[in-house]
Amino acid sequence: MRFISYLTFLIISLATFASFIKGKVVDHHNNPLPGVTVKIQGTSIGDVTNTDGRFSIEVEKGKYTLDASYVGFQTITKNVVVPGKGNVNVNFILKESVSDLEEVVVLGKSDSQLKREEPIKVESIDVARIMEQSTSVPELINQTSGVKVRQASGVGSAVTVNINGLQGNAVRFFKDGIPTDYLGGAFQIGLVPTSIIKNVEIYKGVLPIELGADALGGAVNIVTKGRDQQFLDASYEIGSYNTHLINLNTNYIIPNTKVHVGVSSYYIHSDNDYEFDLDINDGGFIETFRVRRFHDATTAKFVEVNTGIHDSKFADLLDVKVTYFKNDAEVQNGIQIDPNQAFGEVIRASESKILSLQYVKNILPHWNVDFFGALSQRDTKEQDLSEFFYDWFGITEQAAPSGEVQLRDQRLDIDTKVFRLATQYNLGNQFKIKASSTYNGYEQVGSDPYAQVNFVTGIQPITIPSKYIKIVSGFGIASSFLNGKLKGESFVKHYYLKTEAPSTFAESLTDKLTRKNFGWGHSFKYSLDDNSYARISYEDATRIPESEEYFGDFLFILANPLLEPERSDNLNVGFATNLDVSNSIFLEINAFYRNTKDFIRPFPQNLIFSVNRNSDTQITKGIETNLRINLDENSTIRAAITYQDLRRTDTQGTDIILEDARTPNVPYFFTNLSINRQFNNPLGWPAKFNLYGNYLFTEKYLVLATPKDVEPKLFGDVLPAVQSSVIDAQHQVNLGLTCNLKNLPISLNLEVINALNNELYDNFRIPKPLRNYRFKLTYRLLNN
């Protein structure tokens, strides 16, 4: 902490001796414009706006004339007087330029477009443009090529994100660039509403060092709205299965100050009591019954209050947050559906209290520092005290002397500390030096009167503290040559892990583990012209197992304190271009390769439990394609196609029959087709309608490991011997209609999910809901 105190003192000291012209550049919709050149007229002194549209120019006392210029927008000039020490704020609103000779409107690129064109492969989804829709975050991400999102059952259930063949903990999650470990599930993408989100960034294969994490296959970064503008978003959504979602998200700037106060909150409840067909042994005969999920309700409450200052002499951003999150969930089944038993009383709950601080400052015009720290205290509860077993009709069958799964009344107290320091220094227009370090500290201790006892020591392992420390550090250099046509980024990373976990059977009280690894990577992007570019990126990636993989969850996941980190060679090669002169047809193709060693797989122990183990090597080869067609200014078609071939190699023992077999429980061919059509003032009504549809196809795939010679081919027939190991091809159609009232800040939305009422499955053949409906009312107010 001495280093942090010294750094804070240094930041404040340097900031008091410099004078800056600072500001923000936006378009007439108040959207920030990154990449805008802001210069002092008649000189080469200036800056280029960042992804938030911000710029900063160090100056001396005097009078200056600033020009803000950007391709496709009119240049704006403003006069500025700098009286002495301190900052002067100047904001620009750029208007789009129109060329009458060419009869073409040339537009600047959005933040999402610029993100997608970075050397490191990243998809950026503009969530703000669809926040009025009922579409959930998993469904939104699912429309991206190379990405497959699967959810264990209904609202609030566990979500698995597969990015280019790697999934589970190989994919990391972030909120505003910070690992979400400290949030305790509050920003689990199956819960967080779109109203809170500005955009979602999906990194594929290679992670920039700024994120400070050890992802193996990619990452999902949820970017929330900024604190330098006032807004109020409120929505209420009601859906099938008694689903309710209430959201309030607001930010207020105290007049004549740079002080902001904000609130983000949501409340979610769903009974998740949808029906599905299940084959049940009825008196020796297998018969199909329509059953209902009668014990799968979830309730989540989240509120985050923040305050701080922005765009000031002391800080570009100083933000303090206090966060509370509570989740109560019923548990209906284990990792698979057992046709002979459904859980009727098993429950799990968690409650989190979090304090966090973020400080961002441009110490000098070319030097930026970003510090984040969070302390989190989480309490969890797992209960299985039932005296009966239940069948899928909700009827008690017989006594359960040891609970439905395992008799327990478990409490865990979990303390998490997260600290991240990231800095960037710009060496002219060609080089940027980057460094970051992220510390994750985790400690848990529990109690359970029914927990097992170490037969040597006589002590319950759950009552001994488990400790987990992970530090990920990185150093990199970003470069730009040939007037920005060639951009690159090279980096090196260091991974450190230390764990201390209670022993279950050994004589010692704890097992200790320490691991250290290095990784490195490169990425390059070359612009062939203004509308075409090629890109290649590589990372020697390391993924440190999560605390839950080491310690288990004391419910369905068993402990394995001897797991080794995963290593993977990740390679991406891609090309993108506009296929016509009007830029109405955009095509992107990306090929990827993953060579993952010490691959961690969840091995089912039975229909209830699983344990994570290092197994063989997984080789993934694939290709993904994005196609976007703008038929006119009101109609858009988007298509995404992904093929990923995941194969197991270096198998040993009884698994040798699975050499070169396809990795089970991972879809390998899937497509998405989205259509949007806007109608302005139909029949003279003062409203705008948006009609949209989304079709997802998933080719049949193996849910259980199967030798290569009997696995079904792409679009081929399935042999009877392996039919029970295959999930058949799935077709899902979602339809929606949004109405924006032009004279009121109100919108109405109706969505139909699984409109064709097809049987859909996820993970280990867990049925998903049949046709269901959502209705959403949104109030949105933006005050500049």
Side-chain angles (χ1 to χ4, degrees):
M1 296 304 290
R2 285 184 179 180
F3 171 72
I4 295 172
S5 300
Y6 173 75
L7 177 64
T8 303
F9 174 77
L10 178 63
I11 291 171
I12 297 172
S13 299
L14 287 173
T16 59
F17 288 105
S19 295
F20 295 93
I21 300 174
K22 293 188 171 187
K24 185 174 183 180
V25 183
V26 299
D27 62 17
H28 68 285
H29 296 297
N30 203 49
N31 297 316
L33 290 175
V36 178
T37 300
V38 182
K39 290 175 58 177
I40 297 176
Q41 199 174 83
T43 73
S44 60
I45 300 173
D47 194 14
V48 177
T49 57
N50 61 17
T51 55
D52 294 321
R54 300 183 181 281
F55 67 90
S56 178
I57 306 172
E58 185 179 14
V59 295
E60 298 177 353
K61 178 181 178 180
K63 297 180 179 180
Y64 301 92
T65 300
L66 295 185
D67 289 336
S69 59
Y70 194 31
V71 175
F73 288 80
Q74 300 175 14
T75 298
I76 301 295
T77 300
K78 288 192 176 185
N79 295 320
V80 183
V81 177
V82 180
K85 293 179 180 178
N87 299 334
V88 176
N89 289 299
V90 181
N91 296 322
F92 292 87
I93 300 176
L94 299 191
K95 297 181 179 180
E96 298 168 359
S97 61
V98 181
S99 172
D100 294 329
L101 293 176
E102 299 295 334
E103 296 185 347
V104 174
V105 178
V106 183
L107 302 179
K109 295 180 179 179
S110 67
D111 187 10
S112 294
Q113 287 174 306
L114 290 173
K115 275 287 185 181
R116 285 192 290 265
E117 295 178 9
E118 288 292 317
I120 291 178
K121 174 64 175 171
V122 55
E123 299 284 349
S124 184
I125 304 172
D126 186 0
V127 179
R129 65 180 174 83
I130 57 92
M131 64 165 290
E132 294 94 347
Q133 298 180 10
S134 303
T135 307
S136 66
V137 176
E139 291 164 349
L140 187 64
I141 296 175
N142 228 1
Q143 299 176 22
T144 306
S145 67
V147 181
K148 189 67 175 176
V149 182
R150 294 180 292 163
Q151 198 159 3
S153 55
V155 175
S157 62
V159 174
T160 300
V161 178
N162 181 295
I163 300 179
N164 291 161
L166 297 177
Q167 64 182 19
N169 290 324
V171 176
R172 295 297 195 210
F173 296 89
F174 301 81
K175 175 180 178 266
D176 295 323
I178 308 298
T180 57
D181 308 51
Y182 72 98
L183 286 168
F187 260 71
Q188 192 251 89
I189 65 171
L191 284 176
V192 60
T194 56
S195 303
I196 291 178
I197 304 172
K198 177 184 175 183
N199 53 45
V200 176
E201 299 170 351
I202 304 173
Y203 291 85
K204 299 181 177 180
V206 179
L207 252 66
I209 62 170
E210 303 94 280
L211 292 182
D214 55 324
L216 191 72
V220 177
N221 182 29
I222 296 176
V223 181
T224 59
K225 299 177 181 179
R227 297 301 167 187
D228 58 349
Q229 63 178 350
Q230 297 191 137
F231 56 83
L232 171 63
D233 300 327
S235 64
Y236 173 64
E237 179 180 327
I238 185 171
S240 302
Y241 319 119
N242 194 30
T243 299
H244 301 268
L245 193 160
I246 303 172
N247 167 246
L248 174 65
N249 189 32
T250 184
N251 189 62
Y252 176 73
I253 300 175
I254 298 176
N256 303 316
T257 73
K258 296 295 183 180
V259 179
H260 60 261
V261 179
V263 176
S264 293
S265 62
Y266 64 78
Y267 168 84
I268 296 174
H269 173 82
S270 180
D271 290 344
N272 287 322
D273 55 346
Y274 60 89
E275 296 181 336
F276 64 97
D277 291 336
L278 183 64
D279 293 336
I280 299 176
N281 189 330
D282 184 23
F285 297 93
I286 302 298
E287 187 174 349
T288 301
F289 292 89
R290 177 63 59 91
V291 298
R292 180 176 63 87
R293 300 183 69 88
F294 60 89
H295 185 69
D296 200 29
T298 187
T299 302
K301 305 168 186 176
F302 168 84
V303 61
E304 183 174 83
V305 180
N306 72 290
T307 185
I309 58 176
H310 59 274
D311 297 336
S312 72
K313 175 182 176 180
F314 173 70
D316 296 333
L317 176 66
L318 174 64
D319 202 35
V320 179
K321 294 186 177 74
V322 178
T323 307
Y324 175 80
F325 173 71
K326 191 174 191 301
N327 186 24
D328 295 284
E330 299 172 344
V331 180
Q332 182 73 90
N333 53 267
I335 64 169
Q336 300 181 59
I337 294 291
D338 182 350
N340 300 312
Q341 182 188 1
F343 305 149
E345 298 182 35
V346 179
I347 62 170
R348 62 194 318 174
S350 68
E351 184 177 38
S352 299
K353 305 179 184 90
I354 307 155
L355 175 66
S356 62
L357 177 146
Q358 184 172 17
Y359 181 84
V360 182
K361 176 65 180 174
N362 281 321
I363 301 177
L364 298 172
H366 305 294
W367 185 15
N368 173 272
V369 172
D370 185 343
F371 171 77
F372 177 86
L375 302 175
S376 170
Q377 197 277 321
R378 177 159 51 111
D379 300 317
T380 71
K381 177 175 70 174
E382 310 273 5
Q383 278 190 340
D384 183 5
L385 303 175
S386 176
E387 298 179 356
F388 302 96
F389 290 112
Y390 288 78
D391 64 17
W392 276 101
F393 302 100
I395 301 173
T396 56
E397 291 188 315
Q398 56 184 351
S402 299
E404 298 179 84
V405 184
Q406 179 179 318
L407 191 64
R408 76 185 70 214
D409 188 9
Q410 173 190 290
R411 304 293 191 276
L412 288 178
D413 296 326
I414 302 170
D415 293 320
T416 303
K417 301 179 182 69
V418 176
F419 300 102
R420 189 202 67 172
L421 180 63
T423 184
Q424 176 177 301
Y425 186 84
N426 298 342
L427 291 172
N429 295 323
Q430 285 189 302
F431 297 98
K432 297 177 181 178
I433 299 176
K434 303 178 179 181
S436 73
S437 184
T438 302
Y439 169 95
N440 278 274
Y442 175 100
E443 183 172 343
Q444 74 174 32
V445 63
S447 64
D448 185 349
Y450 307 105
Q452 61 181 331
V453 175
N454 185 314
F455 66 87
V456 176
T457 64
I459 298 175
Q460 290 180 314
I462 194 174
T463 63
I464 301 174
S466 299
K467 300 177 182 179
Y468 176 95
I469 295 175
K470 177 172 65 176
I471 303 174
V472 180
S473 304
F475 178 83
I477 298 177
S479 57
S480 178
F481 299 99
L482 304 177
N483 294 321
K485 294 187 68 173
L486 177 62
K487 294 183 178 181
E489 187 164 336
S490 302
F491 58 84
V492 61
K493 297 179 181 179
H494 180 262
Y495 309 92
Y496 172 83
L497 169 70
K498 183 178 181 180
T499 68
E500 184 175 338
S503 295
T504 304
F505 301 109
E507 294 184 8
S508 61
L509 290 178
T510 59
D511 294 321
K512 297 181 180 180
L513 178 72
T514 301
R515 293 287 185 269
K516 298 178 183 179
N517 289 91
F518 278 96
W520 58 276
H522 299 284
S523 59
F524 298 97
K525 176 220 165 187
Y526 182 75
S527 298
L528 303 173
D529 53 43
D530 290 340
N531 299 310
S532 304
Y533 59 86
R535 176 169 46 202
I536 183 170
S537 59
Y538 167 82
E539 181 175 5
D540 173 15
T542 295
R543 207 270 296 181
I544 297 172
E546 291 294 283
S547 57
E548 188 175 85
E549 293 174 282
Y550 281 118
F551 308 148
D553 68 349
F554 298 99
L555 184 62
F556 297 125
I557 302 175
L558 305 179
N560 184 359
L562 301 179
L563 277 175
E564 294 288 342
E566 294 175 301
R567 298 291 298 269
S568 185
D569 296 304
N570 296 341
L571 177 66
N572 295 305
V573 180
F575 171 77
T577 185
N578 286 300
L579 298 179
D580 63 333
V581 294
S582 63
N583 296 338
S584 62
I585 304 177
F586 174 80
L587 175 67
E588 181 178 24
I589 300 175
N590 184 62
F592 52 90
Y593 171 83
R594 309 283 185 263
N595 182 356
T596 310
K597 298 165 281 291
D598 288 325
F599 193 79
I600 296 177
R601 303 182 193 276
F603 284 81
Q605 298 299 96
N606 48 43
L607 290 175
I608 297 175
F609 299 107
S610 67
V611 63
N612 290 288
R613 295 178 185 152
N614 294 106
S615 60
D616 38 59
T617 298
Q618 178 175 286
I619 303 294
T620 303
K621 303 173 185 176
I623 188 168
E624 60 183 28
T625 301
N626 274 316
L627 178 66
R628 183 183 69 247
I629 303 175
N630 296 323
L631 300 177
D632 54 44
E633 62 181 7
N634 294 317
S635 304
T636 303
I637 298 175
R638 299 172 185 266
I641 302 174
T642 302
Y643 176 80
Q644 51 190 30
D645 192 24
L646 293 73
R647 297 287 174 181
R648 301 175 63 172
T649 63
D650 302 326
T651 53
Q652 298 178 0
T654 57
D655 282 348
I656 199 168
I657 63 171
L658 299 174
E659 181 69 19
D660 203 31
R662 198 182 297 281
T663 298
N665 200 39
V666 180
Y668 68 95
F669 182 81
F670 44 92
T671 67
N672 179 83
L673 177 66
S674 300
I675 301 176
N676 286 271
R677 171 68 179 175
Q678 288 188 359
F679 301 90
N680 292 306
N681 304 314
L683 304 177
W685 297 346
K688 179 177 71 175
F689 287 85
N690 182 37
L691 178 65
Y692 57 94
N694 185 43
Y695 166 66
L696 297 98
F697 168 77
T698 305
E699 168 64 337
K700 58 183 172 296
Y701 63 95
L702 293 162
V703 71
L704 300 175
T706 303
K708 182 179 181 179
D709 57 352
V710 294
E711 70 185 24
K713 307 302 180 184
L714 181 64
F715 305 127
D717 296 330
V718 180
L719 297 175
V722 296
Q723 182 65 58
S724 61
S725 300
V726 174
I727 292 181
D728 292 331
Q730 300 178 70
H731 304 266
Q732 180 175 348
V733 175
N734 302 333
L735 301 173
L737 177 66
T738 301
C739 172
N740 293 92
L741 303 177
K742 290 192 174 181
N743 297 327
L744 294 172
I746 293 176
S747 66
L748 306 173
N749 174 260
L750 175 65
E751 275 197 11
V752 183
I753 310 302
N754 191 12
L756 300 182
N757 208 36
N758 289 329
E759 291 187 357
L760 304 173
Y761 301 93
D762 260 343
N763 290 330
F764 292 96
R765 210 192 295 274
I766 303 294
K768 297 178 66 175
L770 296 171
R771 184 188 299 119
N772 59 97
Y773 304 88
R774 304 172 187 156
F775 176 78
K776 183 177 183 179
L777 170 67
T778 302
Y779 177 87
R780 188 178 189 186
L781 182 64
L782 179 65
N783 185 356
N784 297 327

